Amino acid sequence: MAWFGTIRLVGDAGEVSTLTTSLAEIASSDAALRAFLHGLPGVDRVGADQRAAMLGTRSIKTTAKAQAIDLAISMVDLTTLEGADTPGKVRAMCAKAVRPDPADPSVPKVAAVCVYPDLVAGAVAALRGSGVRVASVATAFPSGRSSLEVKVADTALAVAAGADEIDMVIDRGAFLAGDYRKVYDEIVAIKAACAGDGRDAHLKVILETGELATYDNVRRASWLAMLAGADFIKTSTGKVAPAATLPVTLVMLEAVRDFRAATGRVVGVKPAGGIRTTKDAIKNLVLVNETAGDDWLTPDRFRLGASSLLNDLLMQRQKMSTGRYAGPDYFTLD
Amino acid sequence: MTESGRLAVRKTYKLYIGGAFPRSESGRSYVVTSSKGDFLANASRASRKDARDAVTAARKAFPGWSGATAYNRGQILYRIAEMLEGRRAQFAAELADADGVSARRAGELADAAVDRLVWYAGWSDKIGAIRGAANPVAGPYFNLSTPEPTGVVAVVAPQQAPLLGLVSVVAPVIVTGNTCVVVTSERAPLPAITLAEVLATSDLPGGVVNLLTGRVAELAPWLAGHMDVNAIDLTGCDEELAVACERDAAENLKRVLRPPAGKIDWSADPGVERLTAFLETKTVWHPTGV
């Protein structure tokens, strides 16, 4: 491969060397980008599945579990992305984000709330001064089937309304058709829109891995998004099944680890969709620790996109503090 | 190997949770012996996590079961009786082993269990007439009280009477629309698991009845303290355990049925007390059309 030195992946022994070619050069032409992405080593599907399954069997108990639950709560992007969302529902969710369990002030606040662009202003007002960030999906979420102008305008609107983070979707159609340049340019354009208005909103790029068909494609899309300037790469919209499976998160964690080794830039990972239980969340944390390393175990670098997960985390937390199993009757519906 | 050269095929006695027959998550089992002390089988020894899973299964089954028509629930209870009748010989043999009674007496006990189910099946659409009312109120309203199921009921089945006693505590709970998690007789759990095979083939939705075998003193406190259990029947607890469980049950104001200490005669007319113990009353005010 002319475009980079050796990028070693998945448990390979040996040093990870840096890219021999500058990032700008990779993105300089469609052919160069294509050659780079297709030059990435393939993912061993069986190996990835097996490693994720094996890490999923780790037993996390007592104090470690208590720590993991609090960490997971602080990493939650509390999400509501329904057609039936109302300003009132968003306000209620914001209250929950700041104080997840009204009866227990020792519960940490969540990382962010995630809403549609038109509801950002309400969420910003409700969360002012709380330290909880406001994320907004944009770019014709969830399908991403619109023109670049519309997507940029969508993003600019959310940023202007006060969103701290933008969750964009990539154009899966273009990606699957092999038009990587188009996907790249779109991410660059949205990144520019995030920086507009004198603000610097973080950009999360949703790969929608459930539509990418192969782990090789997940790896390519991860690198493509990171090269284009993503601050976070996110698995799914939550509207497509399968959403955030463990092996997919594993592949993405390997990508951010290798990207930092190659470029020095740190990118975060956000699995979203289908993470409903404390057990799922803890499996994800184990995966992070064993793949990207424990410096990724912070809300700045790892998030969990979820809605029903938070209640299960709270129920587990209450069970650990009271010694009796908790019931959903004593937590808010969402 | 037997004389005919055939290997004996022994049944593995497992738990019954959510319509499936899993082993205990803990992997534990305990030895069940006959009344004479002979080895009968290894039964699963459920852990608190099995109890938790059973409560989850019972909660999931509750909307469907409580929403079913009383007629339908009665039919299903009757179906259970039919299936039990078909396995009469198997139950009689297990009861003879467990209780050391004669084959004839064991058969009578199995018959009594069938009759008990049929008796409770008939109550499904009649309990409303006994416990409901059209209340006379001082205003232009229809005022109607109707009995409603309480929710998920934890049942500690009696240690004696492993089949008739079990049926007599489970049937009144489910016929009114509750779902339940049952801790079976610790000493004689085998008829309970065979009953689970009957339940699984009786159109009873999975999760309506969940059966746990194991140590009562280990499981009952977790169920009594569980915040997603709405009521508990302490029939099979000894005095000391029952007191502790009743205290734990107060945390989320569970309905508690704690029969007076002493031997219960399960062959006596049961009355409606066990039916009404796990009912709540809903009262509706409706304007009269004038």
Side-chain angles (χ1 to χ4, degrees):
Chain A
M1 281 292 99
W3 297 102
F4 61 98
T6 49
I7 295 174
R8 294 187 171 273
L9 300 159
V10 210
D12 287 358
E15 288 298 301
V16 178
S17 67
T18 50
L19 297 174
T20 51
T21 317
S22 74
L23 296 182
E25 218 170 312
I26 291 171
S28 62
S29 72
D30 194 26
L33 193 59
R34 189 179 182 76
F36 173 78
L37 292 176
H38 283 265
L40 288 167
V43 181
D44 170 1
R45 182 169 199 114
V46 175
D49 285 346
Q50 205 165 31
R51 179 153 174 81
M54 189 265 286
L55 290 174
T57 63
R58 287 278 171 87
S59 182
I60 309 291
K61 300 288 180 208
T62 61
T63 48
K65 184 176 178 185
Q67 232 175 35
I69 288 174
D70 277 5
L71 183 61
I73 291 174
S74 71
M75 286 174 166
V76 165
D77 275 9
L78 199 55
T79 304
T80 182
L81 296 170
E82 305 294 333
D85 286 347
T86 58
K89 184 180 176 190
V90 170
R91 266 199 309 278
M93 197 180 74
C94 290
K96 186 169 183 175
V98 179
R99 189 82 182 267
D101 184 351
D104 185 354
S106 68
V107 179
K109 58 184 189 287
V110 305
V113 299
C114 185
V115 295
Y116 272 116
D118 59 330
L119 296 166
V120 166
V124 169
L127 291 171
R128 187 159 291 131
S130 68
V132 176
R133 299 162 69 91
V134 177
S136 168
V137 295
T139 69
F141 182 92
S143 66
R145 298 252 67 89
S146 193
S147 68
L148 183 59
E149 291 75 25
V150 170
K151 292 180 184 180
V152 169
D154 198 14
T155 308
L157 217 74
V159 173
D164 304 301
E165 300 172 358
I166 296 295
D167 290 27
M168 72 168 286
V169 290
I170 64 167
D171 185 342
R172 280 89 74 192
F175 181 88
L176 291 170
D179 195 353
Y180 300 133
R181 185 78 214 174
K182 183 174 179 216
V183 180
Y184 181 93
D185 289 342
E186 240 176 50
I187 299 173
V188 170
I190 302 297
K191 174 83 178 161
C194 287
D197 214 12
R199 300 170 48 82
D200 188 18
H202 269 226
L203 179 64
K204 303 199 199 99
V205 178
I206 303 171
L207 309 180
E208 194 62 297
T209 54
E211 292 182 344
L212 295 185
T214 67
Y215 292 171
D216 286 351
N217 275 344
V218 172
R219 177 169 284 172
R220 285 178 196 132
S222 302
W223 275 85
L224 181 61
M226 292 186 295
L227 288 168
D231 298 305
F232 256 86
I233 49 178
K234 174 174 166 183
T235 58
S236 333
T237 58
K239 306 287 182 196
V240 169
T245 64
L246 280 179
V248 158
T249 309
L250 173 73
V251 170
M252 289 168 62
L253 284 163
E254 285 168 3
V256 297
R257 176 195 67 192
D258 296 337
F259 189 75
R260 180 175 70 168
T263 68
R265 193 165 80 82
V266 172
V267 177
V269 176
K270 175 178 171 186
I275 305 170
R276 293 197 182 85
T277 63
T278 301
K279 204 167 229 174
D280 293 340
I282 292 179
K283 281 179 188 175
N284 271 287
L285 295 182
V286 170
L287 208 59
V288 173
N289 193 53
E290 297 299 318
T291 310
D294 60 0
D295 49 348
W296 250 271
L297 282 176
T298 134
D300 296 336
R301 297 190 185 179
F302 192 75
R303 296 280 181 85
L304 295 159
S307 42
S308 55
L309 169 67
L310 184 58
N311 269 6
D312 197 64
L313 286 165
L314 294 175
M315 273 163 49
Q316 288 286 329
R317 199 178 189 281
Q318 196 181 72
K319 194 256 156 189
M320 297 195 82
S321 62
T322 63
R324 68 177 77 83
Y325 286 117
D329 290 352
Y330 303 91
F331 296 91
T332 58
L333 296 170
D334 42 19
Chain B
M1 211 174 281
T2 58
E3 278 170 28
S4 65
R6 219 183 135 252
L7 281 172
V9 179
R10 290 214 184 83
K11 181 156 86 184
T12 311
Y13 288 87
K14 297 191 278 189
L15 308 175
Y16 182 54
I17 298 174
F21 290 90
R23 288 183 169 81
S24 168
E25 117 349 286
S26 64
R28 300 176 306 176
S29 62
Y30 71 108
V31 172
V32 178
T33 57
S34 72
S35 57
K36 299 186 191 72
D38 301 329
F39 174 83
L40 286 179
N42 289 307
S44 290
R45 190 177 150 197
S47 68
R48 65 178 167 88
K49 292 192 179 175
D50 294 312
R52 175 199 62 187
D53 293 347
V55 171
T56 308
R59 175 59 64 198
K60 203 170 155 208
F62 181 71
W65 182 243
S66 59
T69 60
Y71 172 76
N72 185 227
R73 286 198 300 267
Q75 289 287 299
I76 289 174
L77 250 75
Y78 191 81
R79 178 79 178 158
I80 298 172
E82 288 175 4
M83 295 286 114
L84 212 160
E85 178 77 35
R87 291 194 185 222
R88 184 179 180 277
Q90 189 183 359
F91 280 106
E94 282 186 347
L95 288 173
D97 280 341
D99 281 357
V101 293
S102 69
R104 188 160 152 272
R105 174 71 186 140
E108 286 170 7
L109 287 170
D111 291 342
V114 173
D115 295 349
R116 185 59 45 87
L117 276 164
V118 173
W119 190 79
Y120 275 119
W123 272 109
S124 67
D125 53 1
K126 298 171 188 70
I127 190 68
I130 303 294
R131 293 295 290 185
N135 312 308
V137 290
Y141 299 99
F142 288 126
N143 187 271
L144 304 170
S145 293
T146 46
E148 298 265 315
T150 294
V152 174
V153 181
V155 178
V156 183
Q159 297 301 311
Q160 305 305 318
L163 180 63
L164 179 58
L166 178 66
V167 165
S168 301
V169 294
V170 171
V173 169
I174 61 173
V175 73
T176 54
N178 298 294
T179 58
C180 63
V181 176
V182 185
V183 182
T184 66
S185 168
E186 184 173 328
R187 174 188 63 85
L190 305 188
I193 296 304
T194 306
L195 180 68
E197 292 160 15
V198 167
L199 299 175
T201 50
S202 303
D203 303 330
L204 188 74
V208 172
V209 175
N210 304 277
L211 294 168
L212 304 172
T213 58
R215 304 273 180 259
V216 171
E218 180 188 355
L219 297 170
W222 285 103
L223 290 168
H226 199 306
M227 298 296 276
D228 202 25
V229 171
N230 304 107
I232 188 163
D233 171 358
L234 298 170
T235 305
C237 293
D238 61 41
E239 189 65 16
E240 198 183 332
L241 182 62
V243 170
C245 285
E246 189 163 1
R247 194 176 298 124
D248 287 345
E251 187 65 32
N252 69 335
L253 307 179
K254 288 181 185 66
R255 277 164 204 283
V256 178
L257 177 65
R258 187 176 149 210
K263 206 166 185 308
I264 301 172
D265 178 11
W266 292 107
S267 58
D269 177 354
V272 292
E273 190 205 343
R274 287 190 165 272
L275 281 167
T276 55
F278 303 111
L279 288 174
E280 300 178 349
T281 302
K282 178 172 81 179
T283 298
V284 179
W285 295 66
H286 192 288
T288 51
V290 226

